Amino acid sequence: MRTQTRRLGAALVAMGLVATGLAATPAGAHQRDRGYSAEIRRASYGVPHITARTFADLGFGAGYVQAEDNLCVIAETAVTVNGERSRWFGASGPTDANVRSDLFFRKAIEDRAVERLLDGRRDGVHAPSDDVRDLVRGFAAGYNSYLRRTGVARLTDPACRGRGWVRPLTELDVWRTTWASMVRAGSAAVLDGIVAAAPPTATGEAAVQDAPGAAAVVAAADGTPAGVGSNAYGLGEAATANRGGMVLANPHFPWDGAERFYRMHLKVPGRYDVEGAALIGDPIVEIGHNGTLAWSHTVSTARRFVWHRLALVPGDPTSYYVDGRPRRMTTRTVTVQAPGPDGRLAPVRRTFHDTHYGPVVVVPGTFDWTATTAYAITDVNATNNRALDGWLQMGRASTVRELKSVLDRYQFLPWVNVIAADARGEALYADHSVVPRVTDALAATCIPAAFRPMYASSGQAVLDGSRSACGLGADPDAAVPGIFGPADLPVRFRGDYVTNSNDSYWLANPEAPLEGYPRIMGDEGTPRSLRTRLGLDQVQRRLAGTDGLPGRGFTAERLWQTVFGNRVYGGELVRDDLVRLCTARPTATASDGATVDLRDACAALRRWDLHADLGSRGAHVFVEFAVEGGLRFADAFSAADPVRTPRRLDTADPRVLTALADAVRNLAGVPLDARLGDIQTEPRGDRRIPIHGGRAEAGIFNMIVSTRVPGVGYPKVVHGSSFVMAVELGSHGPSGRQILTYSQSTNPNSPWYGDQTALYSRKGWDTIKYTEAQIKADLHLRTYRVGEGRRH
């Protein structure tokens, strides 16, 4: 063990991760020159425990260590939010995704969207508090300190070493990154439609441009941002062995890019002490725990923006009526630099149109801009400057009741639910996210008849923009106008459990359904996803003692075994019926008309162990079958038994065998009886790490989505289980297990580039390290101090 520690120390020195000359500098010296100063204790897997005197110092420490591990990711995010992707990363033409992104973010910059949010009232609700401003200022300074000490040319990460787009961060860069996260499920989700919006030509024809991303959002069944999701449990005293609370955090996020999580423990003695994870580039823990409270987030189904149908002034498609009076749109022409055909940078210009509701958006075929009609959106998160303060105060709450008070006051969660539990053994579910105030009365009066089916099926509200009475209005208890106040949001306290797996709030606990909320928040009394049903089934079986594990109630060990049990619920329900069907009918017609032999697939499914473990043979066949739409049920959904219905395969539906035939075609060249761990992997350097888990469509709780390569299998994870935490709260403080599946660093030369990924592969874990005793017991602990003179 001492040898391993010495090797780790040598690696740290080689990478420049120990701040030269600072480890032995007395803390008092930094206090005398009013410099930034933070103590960093790196524990196993590179997880930093950061202690500082002030929030500015704490931000400095967080910025420094995140730069040590993920500088290239943060630097690229700064390029994105400053609208410079095309300049540095290229573009294939004026409609390239990088160009569209640049135009969107440059418009936000020229509109001073972030600056306006920083200039409001200084009460910590309507504008960031001094503590949060200090945290952000310190974070930028810490990142810059590491970059300055190392130098761009000497960075160890080849992804950005010597690149011109790596530069010091400003505080505005950090705030712009936060703003981009706020609008992730709002205006950024229909970014393509905002950029594409142009008035009809003089001949009356619409100036149509492609808006693929916006079209996908319109087609979506709920408000979940593409590519993200989560599972979470909040367990109360009736569900745990020690009668204290427990929380499972299992967010499903991208394994690459700016939406990766980063584990850290942040402490300002006497003021803030939280262990958990944040998205890379964020200075505050967003999922985690303190001494008596733990929480996680799942992506909510509520919509984050509303549409307004505009009645245009005849002959002037850039003016619209409100209460019979014309109002003129405002315009802004934005220019970005993108490579032209000769490779040289050339300007690309786009004129944006805004209304008092928000930007005009075009989605061809659904929301067209014609001579008589246009559509604008209101993104209620575009003015959300409350998030960092909200997370800061979450970390200071000691019980779920106090947490609820924080949620009520700040109303800051942009597009996520919160699932929490405390040491007293009480659990909380709340969709306290920022939701446009579309009441049932407003929907009935203000959604035109043509758009009522859309609202009923998906919660997308299209309001009559020609009447001011159809505006969003204000709830007296809301933090800001235009959103639902806390009294009208779904909340449930329980002594047993609450869960969420990205369906709506309805079945947070099936014993006490949440009902009677406006459709914009989510659906009620409808079938739940297989992942939601499995999540509930796992809790119910554990509490009943019928899950095959010893005893009843959860411990951290039992919770870990539940998460990574890798049951495939869809297979449990229909595999036997599917095998009988394909045995009786060994050939089927694929969707392209080809005849496919099903015998080998049928044999693989027959022998499959109904799990998505590394050794599970044939699991990929069922997953492909599910992704192709093969899970067709013969029995009806029952709202009286929502966890277990429907459950019988519709063997008379021809689409079932067609889906199996398509699955076989998809897997051409891949052995149908292959072990999952041999064909589903994640690259780390010259290694291929076997990965367990699989797609939600098949009913897998431990969700992993990988790219399928013909003839190879699944050689790269796209997104899925990321930061996993099973924390147990009680009189002796927090304990439990945690892991970051893709590891702490994106730098291939870091010692923490693939260590947790290998740990995840074997279903291992790192322990919760919150108390001083827990931290000091880590045999790999290394301590160093970072700091420098403050620059204002």
Side-chain angles (χ1 to χ4, degrees):
M1 192 64 70
R2 291 193 185 96
T3 300
Q4 183 178 357
T5 302
R6 285 196 297 270
R7 288 174 179 169
L8 180 59
L12 287 166
V13 172
M15 293 173 59
L17 297 187
V18 176
T20 305
L22 290 173
T25 303
H30 297 288
Q31 294 170 7
R32 286 192 298 271
D33 67 9
R34 298 176 58 81
Y36 291 105
S37 178
E39 179 187 73
I40 313 298
R41 290 185 287 180
R42 289 271 190 176
S44 294
Y45 307 104
V47 178
H49 298 257
I50 306 165
T51 303
R53 295 173 297 109
T54 69
F55 282 102
D57 295 324
L58 188 67
F60 184 91
Y64 197 99
V65 296
Q66 288 197 36
E68 287 179 328
D69 297 335
N70 296 292
L71 184 141
C72 296
V73 174
I74 300 172
E76 183 175 345
T77 301
V79 171
T80 298
V81 299
N82 281 283
E84 297 179 334
R85 291 194 63 83
S86 304
R87 175 186 176 188
W88 294 108
F89 306 133
S92 60
T95 61
D96 183 88
N98 279 346
V99 175
R100 299 196 302 268
S101 172
D102 289 345
L103 289 165
F104 175 82
F105 284 109
R106 284 305 307 174
K107 179 180 183 292
I109 290 171
E110 294 185 22
D111 284 345
R112 294 179 58 81
V114 170
E115 288 87 339
R116 289 201 306 272
L117 300 184
L118 299 178
D119 290 340
R121 292 162 49 191
R122 299 290 293 274
D123 63 357
V125 174
H126 296 93
S129 67
D130 289 339
D131 284 346
V132 162
R133 291 171 188 265
D134 286 347
L135 194 64
V136 168
R137 184 177 72 249
F139 186 92
Y143 172 98
N144 293 340
S145 178
Y146 175 77
L147 180 61
R148 186 164 49 250
R149 290 175 182 279
T150 305
V152 177
R154 297 191 305 277
L155 293 172
T156 61
D157 191 340
C160 64
R161 180 174 55 235
R163 303 299 177 90
W165 47 270
V166 179
R167 60 165 177 78
L169 285 183
T170 68
E171 294 172 48
L172 272 178
D173 291 330
V174 182
W175 285 114
R176 286 169 182 162
T177 298
T178 299
W179 181 83
S181 293
M182 296 301 101
V183 300
R184 169 75 162 78
S187 50
V190 290
L191 176 158
D192 290 350
I194 294 173
V195 174
T201 64
T203 62
E205 296 180 357
V208 177
Q209 296 185 35
D210 194 18
V217 170
V218 171
D222 57 42
T224 302
V228 296
S230 303
N231 303 314
Y233 291 161
L235 304 173
E237 60 180 351
T240 64
N242 76 343
R243 310 293 289 176
M246 292 184 66
V247 165
L248 165 69
N250 180 210
H252 303 147
F253 267 60
W255 277 36
D256 297 285
E259 292 181 312
R260 280 174 54 123
F261 282 101
Y262 184 82
R263 289 176 57 192
M264 58 185 181
H265 179 187
L266 303 179
K267 182 176 182 178
V268 176
R271 301 185 66 190
Y272 182 80
D273 189 358
V274 177
E275 179 187 21
L279 294 179
I280 292 175
D282 289 351
I284 195 77
V285 171
E286 290 145 342
I287 293 176
H289 67 91
N290 57 31
T292 61
L293 175 73
W295 67 91
S296 188
H297 297 305
T298 61
V299 178
S300 160
T301 59
R303 294 286 173 174
R304 307 303 154 187
F305 63 89
V306 295
W307 302 88
H308 303 271
R309 187 177 69 173
L310 309 176
L312 302 181
V313 174
D316 184 2
T318 60
S319 295
Y320 58 103
Y321 289 112
V322 179
D323 296 335
R325 296 182 178 181
R327 297 187 67 149
R328 189 159 188 82
M329 298 176 187
T330 61
T331 61
R332 182 180 295 280
T333 299
V334 173
T335 302
V336 300
Q337 299 295 318
D342 60 358
R344 297 181 180 180
L345 291 177
V348 176
R349 296 182 177 86
R350 191 68 45 84
T351 298
F352 294 86
H353 295 77
D354 285 289
T355 71
H356 75 289
Y357 298 115
V360 178
V361 184
V362 166
V363 180
T366 306
F367 298 110
D368 293 301
W369 192 344
T370 69
T372 59
T373 308
Y375 298 86
I377 65 163
T378 296
D379 178 355
V380 290
N381 274 306
T383 56
N384 182 359
N385 60 355
R386 307 176 299 279
L388 294 185
D389 272 294
W391 273 304
L392 178 65
Q393 297 303 328
M394 280 184 73
R396 289 169 161 170
S398 60
T399 68
V400 293
R401 299 284 172 166
E402 289 183 13
L403 173 56
K404 167 67 162 47
S405 297
V406 171
L407 299 174
D408 289 351
R409 174 170 167 76
Y410 288 89
Q411 289 195 263
F412 67 96
L413 295 173
W415 34 266
V416 292
N417 307 291
V418 62
I419 293 86
D422 60 33
R424 301 187 310 179
E426 189 169 28
L428 166 69
Y429 164 84
D431 189 347
H432 248 57
S433 55
V434 179
V435 186
R437 186 183 170 277
V438 179
T439 64
D440 288 340
L442 186 71
T445 303
C446 291
I447 296 179
F451 292 103
R452 288 172 190 165
M454 174 182 283
Y455 183 67
S457 64
S458 70
Q460 292 187 81
V462 182
L463 303 177
D464 182 354
S466 68
R467 293 185 285 156
S468 60
C470 291
L472 294 176
D475 277 350
D477 60 337
V480 293
I483 66 174
F484 281 107
D488 294 316
L489 295 172
V491 175
R492 183 69 78 210
F493 291 98
R494 295 289 296 185
D496 51 1
Y497 69 91
V498 293
T499 80
N500 188 262
S501 291
N502 304 130
D503 275 317
S504 76
Y505 51 83
W506 178 49
L507 288 189
N509 184 301
E511 298 301 314
L514 287 159
E515 297 176 330
Y517 295 92
R519 180 62 184 86
I520 196 170
M521 294 184 187
D523 54 2
E524 302 171 9
T526 58
R528 304 290 93 175
S529 73
L530 289 176
R531 180 159 57 90
T532 290
R533 291 169 60 185
L534 176 57
L536 291 165
D537 181 74
Q538 289 176 157
V539 174
Q540 292 171 349
R541 290 189 182 217
R542 176 85 294 261
L543 300 190
T546 60
D547 60 355
L549 299 174
R552 298 189 182 190
F554 282 96
T555 62
E557 179 183 7
R558 295 289 178 262
L559 191 51
W560 204 257
Q561 291 169 322
T562 298
V563 177
F564 296 127
N566 286 330
R567 290 171 57 192
V568 183
Y569 193 55
E572 294 175 9
L573 295 176
V574 310
R575 189 274 305 272
D576 291 346
D577 286 341
L578 179 58
V579 167
R580 281 191 288 269
L581 180 62
C582 65
T583 299
R585 298 174 57 185
T587 62
T589 303
S591 57
D592 64 359
T595 299
V596 178
D597 187 337
L598 303 178
R599 287 176 295 178
D600 288 345
C602 206
L605 290 171
R606 185 181 299 110
R607 294 190 293 268
W608 173 42
D609 64 6
L610 298 177
H611 288 74
D613 288 325
L614 296 182
S616 296
R617 294 183 179 274
H620 54 302
V621 177
F622 188 82
V623 169
E624 288 290 340
F625 163 77
V627 170
E628 291 294 338
L631 285 168
R632 306 279 174 172
F633 293 100
D635 54 327
F637 164 75
S638 170
D641 189 14
V643 179
R644 290 171 178 80
T645 61
R647 56 179 174 262
R648 289 191 295 106
L649 185 67
D650 188 354
T651 56
D653 189 330
R655 292 173 293 183
V656 172
L657 283 185
T658 295
L660 185 57
D662 288 341
V664 173
R665 295 287 297 276
N666 292 345
L667 294 168
V670 178
L672 299 181
D673 63 347
R675 291 165 24 104
L676 182 63
D678 292 337
I679 60 172
Q680 181 169 271
T681 59
E682 172 70 8
R684 284 295 181 271
D686 57 0
R687 294 183 296 164
R688 290 218 151 266
I689 299 176
I691 299 295
H692 52 88
R695 299 283 291 258
E697 293 93 332
I700 301 173
F701 195 69
N702 176 27
M703 193 174 83
I704 292 291
V705 176
S706 299
T707 54
R708 173 169 47 81
V709 176
V712 175
Y714 309 89
K716 180 74 185 74
V717 177
V718 177
H719 73 270
S721 291
S722 53
F723 172 61
V724 186
M725 175 183 74
V727 60
E728 192 168 3
L729 303 163
S731 58
H732 299 293
S735 60
R737 303 176 175 186
Q738 56 190 332
I739 194 171
L740 191 61
T741 58
Y742 36 65
S743 302
Q744 191 79 344
S745 177
T746 52
N747 181 353
N749 290 308
S750 168
W752 307 306
Y753 176 60
D755 51 353
Q756 289 185 77
T757 311
L759 188 66
Y760 167 79
S761 179
R762 58 182 185 268
K763 299 185 181 180
W765 65 89
D766 187 20
T767 57
I768 296 290
K769 297 182 180 69
Y770 182 78
T771 67
E772 281 300 302
Q774 289 168 337
I775 296 170
K776 290 179 178 178
D778 191 306
L779 297 178
H780 300 133
L781 194 67
R782 291 187 60 84
T783 300
Y784 56 103
R785 182 169 292 278
V786 295
E788 64 177 26
R790 284 197 177 114
R791 291 177 171 83
H792 294 282

